[in-house]
Structure formats: C-alpha cells, structure tokens
Amino acid sequence: MTNKFLCDFRFLLLAAAVAFIYIQMRLFTTQSKYADRLANAVEAETRCTSQMRKLIDQISMQQSRIVDLEEDKKRQDEEYGQMKALVQDLQLKGLQRRMNKIQTPVAAVVVMACNRADYLERTIKSILKYQNAVASKFPLFVSQDGSDPQVRKKALSYDQLTHMQHLDSKLVQTERPGELIAYYKIAHDMEIAPDFFDYFEAAAALMEKDKTIMAVSSWNDNGQKQFVHDPEILYRSDFFPGLGWMLTKPTWNELSPKWPKAYWDDWLRLQENHKGRQFIRPEVCRTYNFGEHVDWKSKDLSYLMEDKYIKLFAEILKNAKPINGADAVLKASNVQGDVRVHYEDQPDFERIARQFGVFQEWKDGVPRTAYKGVVVFRYPPPRRVFLVGPKSFELLGIKSV
C-alpha cells in the first residue's frame, strides 16, 4: 500500500509539474504578446511624436512665410504708394513744363540722399542756380534711401524737382567684413560749376557718336588747384572717376540688373563691367564752384573720339622730355615744357606719385585717372607731367622716341 501511495504521489507531482509548465508557457506567451503590443505602441507613439514635430515645423515655416509675405506686401504697398505719388508729381510738374516748352531731355539729374538734410539743401540750391534755365533738358530728381523725415521734408519743399523714396525695412547687411553701412546708404555733398549742364550736354552728343565711351564724369581725382591749369581740356581715362557722372540709357539698361548695393564706383572700375570702355573727365572739376565758365557748345570735342585721341595723346607724350633716376620732382621743376617719368610696376608708381602728391591708388590693374597706363597732371602748372607705365608706349602705338 505504501508503494501504491508513492506511485500516486509521483503521478500527482508529474501532473502538477506539467500544469505548472503549461501555466508558465501560457504566461510567457501572454507576456510576449503584451510586450509586442507595448513595443508596437511605443513605436507608434514615437512615429506620432515625429510626425507631430514635423507638422509643428511645417506650421512654423508656414507662419514664417506668412510673416515674410505680409512684409513683402507691406513693402509693395509702400512702393506702389511711392510710384503713384511719383506719377502724380510728374503729371503736375513735368507735364506742365513740357506743355509750356516742349524740348527733348538730355539727361535726368539724380541727387542721391540719405540722412543729411543740410547737405541735400546745399546741393539742390547749387543745382537750381544753373538748372532753372535748362530744366526741360535736365529734369531734377532726389532719390532718397531710408526714411529720414527731414530729408523727405526738405526734398518735398522744392517744386522744381521730383522726390523718390526707397524704403527698406530689412536690416542693412554688408557683403564683406569691415565694410561701412554708410556706403550702402550714402549721399554726397556736391556743388556744381556754372557750366555743369552745358558740359554734359556737349558730352552727350559725343557719347552718341562714340560707343567706346561708357560714361562722362565732371570729376578729376587729381583736380586740386596745384595740379590743374586749363578748364577747357578734357581727357579719356580707363579709370571711372565718379562724383557727378552721366551714362546713356542703353548702358544703364545693361548694368542696372546687376548693380551692387554699395561700392558701385569700384564695381564700375572692374574690367568685367566696363569691358574696355573708357570715360571722359575734365582737367578742372565741374563739381565744385569756380569762377570760369566755358562755352562748351562752341567747342569741337571730336578730338576725344577714340581713333583721334589715341594719336593726339601719343604725339603729346612723345614730345615730353624724359626724366630718369631719383628726385623726379626736383628734375621736373627744372625742365622747360612737358616731362615724362617712367615707372616699372605698381610699387614704383606709388613711390613716384607719392613724391608729387597725386593719387597712388590702383583698381583692377589701372592707376587712378590713367589712360593706357599714363597718368597726367600739372606740376607746377602749366607744365604737364606724364607718369608712363611699362606697356604704355606699346598700347599707344609709339614705336620709337
């Protein structure tokens, strides 16, 4: 009986073990299912979170775009208002003047202003002093950068001009480190000579004939009184002078789409932009007050045509007496008539120019005011001094001297 009891007990233990194992397997299976479901739930939550973040980012981008579009619309509305005011102003001013005396304009006179109302007033008064008689030929505009109220008020106080305002709500960003924001919004204090408009009218006819002339300037960088003598002489130059200049409508149409925000004077001095075209400049500046008035309408400026000028300039240069060695200033002062001093490279040019006191600057391989590498000025007046580059004779077609 004892053996039977032990046998039954063993069967019971075996049954309990089987039941335990079965229960554990069911429990493991259930746990695995719940673990898989939990993992799926976590994965689904992660995907949902990621999608929510993407949606939030898209909403933020859309909101930012909406803000930008609203700002663009605001600027466009301002520009539309400016254009509407400009059209009305032109109708009230320009149309009446044309009805009174129909005359083909020679060029628009544009004064660039920013935040100096007092300087703007001086410039406008200087222009109006000589512009009134030729207003139909040279309509006057003030182009204002920014929203300075005093500049706007000053410009609008003159019935003889048209005011244009350029508003930019965005913060001005310079394109290169170290640049001055003032160059991006700048106005020059400039006064003009009595023959300023006659000069440009005569030069406009020259530009129509000679397409190798890119612009005409009223400025000479070496135009200080100790370096000039003859107010009737004009020169061709490979270096853009700036400060009171005129170009044709086709040239403006060519350049305006890529016009830089600042430093446009240096930009125009690059070969890639002027493409070998040259500039006309005076010996005596027309952008400051001086007592003489040249009758430009009676002057024959055909000598400035490219084919004539290169021969004329070469002949004058050939006749100048050469100066060699050191002490160029002293030697030039002791020679009768025009002189020429040859330089070897840019450092040599800078050394010689420093002795005379003229500009030493170069841009894109061209010395300031130079024509074919030759810089000419008076020292002392009326003697002309020619600083001649190493390739100048070749460029001018001078074979022997």
Side-chain angles (χ1 to χ4, degrees):
M1 185 169 179
T2 301
N3 292 335
K4 184 178 179 180
F5 175 77
L6 291 171
C7 183
D8 291 340
F9 182 74
R10 289 173 182 172
F11 277 115
L12 287 173
L13 286 176
L14 180 62
V18 170
F20 178 78
I21 292 172
Y22 174 75
I23 292 171
Q24 289 294 323
M25 289 178 64
R26 289 294 302 272
L27 182 62
F28 177 77
T29 302
T30 302
Q31 288 177 337
S32 296
K33 289 181 179 179
Y34 278 111
D36 290 341
R37 290 178 183 177
L38 181 61
N40 291 335
V42 171
E43 184 179 356
E45 183 181 6
T46 302
R47 284 199 304 269
C48 183
T49 302
S50 177
Q51 291 175 352
M52 284 291 293
R53 287 176 179 173
K54 289 181 180 179
L55 184 60
I56 291 172
D57 290 341
Q58 290 176 354
I59 293 173
S60 297
M61 291 175 63
Q62 291 296 330
Q63 289 177 336
S64 177
R65 187 177 179 186
I66 290 172
V67 172
D68 290 340
L69 288 172
E70 289 176 347
E71 291 179 353
D72 288 341
K73 184 179 182 301
K74 182 179 178 181
R75 284 194 294 271
Q76 289 175 359
D77 289 342
E78 291 173 344
E79 291 174 357
Y80 172 75
Q82 294 170 17
M83 290 300 297
K84 184 177 180 180
L86 175 60
V87 171
Q88 292 175 343
D89 196 27
L90 286 171
Q91 289 174 339
L92 292 174
K93 298 177 181 178
L95 183 60
Q96 185 61 45
R97 287 198 295 266
R98 290 182 184 180
M99 288 176 62
N100 294 337
K101 186 176 181 181
I102 299 176
Q103 202 166 22
T104 303
V106 175
V109 180
V110 182
V111 178
M112 292 175 283
C114 180
N115 57 6
R116 296 181 286 187
D118 53 341
Y119 286 1
L120 175 62
E121 182 177 27
R122 287 176 56 184
T123 300
I124 292 175
K125 285 183 176 179
S126 174
I127 292 174
L128 292 179
K129 184 177 180 180
Y130 306 109
Q131 186 254 5
N132 284 333
V134 291
S136 58
K137 293 182 180 181
F138 296 91
L140 178 58
F141 296 81
V142 170
S143 177
Q144 180 185 353
D145 271 333
S147 57
D148 187 285
Q150 295 304 316
V151 170
R152 176 180 171 83
K153 181 179 179 181
K154 183 60 62 179
L156 292 175
S157 68
Y158 291 91
D159 293 331
Q160 303 96 319
L161 58 82
T162 298
H163 172 257
M164 299 178 293
Q165 187 172 9
H166 308 284
L167 297 175
D168 191 350
S169 58
K170 294 181 179 179
L171 182 66
V172 176
Q173 297 290 338
T174 59
E175 295 180 356
R176 292 177 293 273
E179 289 184 337
L180 299 176
I181 292 179
Y183 279 97
Y184 287 77
K185 291 185 175 181
I186 189 168
H188 287 291
D189 172 27
M190 186 182 75
E191 298 186 26
I192 66 173
D195 61 356
F196 180 85
F197 294 106
D198 289 343
Y199 167 73
F200 278 112
E201 185 172 0
L206 181 67
M207 294 178 73
E208 288 296 324
K209 297 176 183 177
D210 189 345
K211 303 304 180 184
T212 67
I213 299 173
M214 187 174 192
V216 175
S217 175
S218 59
W219 182 256
N220 175 14
D221 288 302
N222 291 322
Q224 296 86 354
K225 62 181 180 180
Q226 67 268 30
F227 300 128
V228 299
H229 173 70
D230 192 340
E232 298 184 4
I233 290 184
L234 306 180
Y235 296 87
R236 290 181 76 108
S237 175
D238 298 304
F239 192 99
F240 174 66
L243 293 179
W245 47 277
M246 175 179 68
L247 44 73
T248 64
K249 183 178 180 180
T251 304
W252 173 247
N253 290 339
E254 170 198 337
L255 298 173
S256 58
K258 55 181 180 178
W259 196 264
K261 294 180 180 179
Y263 296 94
W264 44 260
D265 47 354
D266 282 342
W267 180 79
L268 280 173
R269 291 163 186 156
L270 299 177
Q271 167 69 27
E272 63 188 76
N273 296 316
H274 64 70
K275 298 177 181 177
R277 288 169 290 187
Q278 295 174 333
F279 309 92
I280 301 297
R281 67 166 180 85
E283 178 168 315
V284 178
C285 294
R286 259 63 198 178
T287 43
Y288 67 85
N289 286 324
F290 67 103
E292 301 187 53
H293 186 293
V294 176
D295 182 11
W296 291 106
K297 295 179 181 178
S298 66
K299 298 299 178 184
D300 180 8
L301 301 183
S302 62
Y303 71 92
L304 291 165
M305 299 287 287
E306 183 182 30
D307 56 341
K308 293 183 178 180
Y309 187 81
I310 191 169
K311 295 176 182 177
L312 174 65
F313 192 84
E315 190 63 27
I316 296 174
L317 184 60
K318 284 170 58 177
N319 293 330
K321 298 177 182 178
I323 290 179
N324 300 311
D327 300 325
V329 175
L330 180 60
K331 291 180 179 179
S333 301
N334 293 325
V335 174
Q336 294 295 322
D338 297 340
V339 299
R340 65 174 188 267
V341 183
H342 291 258
Y343 64 89
E344 296 179 357
D345 49 28
Q346 183 173 346
D348 194 33
F349 172 87
E350 293 173 353
R351 178 185 62 81
I352 298 170
R354 192 180 304 113
Q355 292 179 20
F356 283 99
V358 296
F359 266 100
Q360 306 166 36
E361 181 190 2
W362 286 42
K363 189 67 178 180
D364 205 15
V366 180
R368 191 176 282 269
T369 78
Y371 171 71
K372 306 295 185 184
V374 180
V375 171
V376 56
F377 55 92
R378 309 274 181 167
Y379 191 92
R383 177 189 296 106
R384 279 178 294 198
V385 176
F386 298 88
L387 305 186
V388 185
K391 295 183 179 180
S392 295
F393 276 17
E394 178 183 349
L395 294 172
L396 290 166
I398 302 175
K399 296 181 180 179
S400 61
V401 180

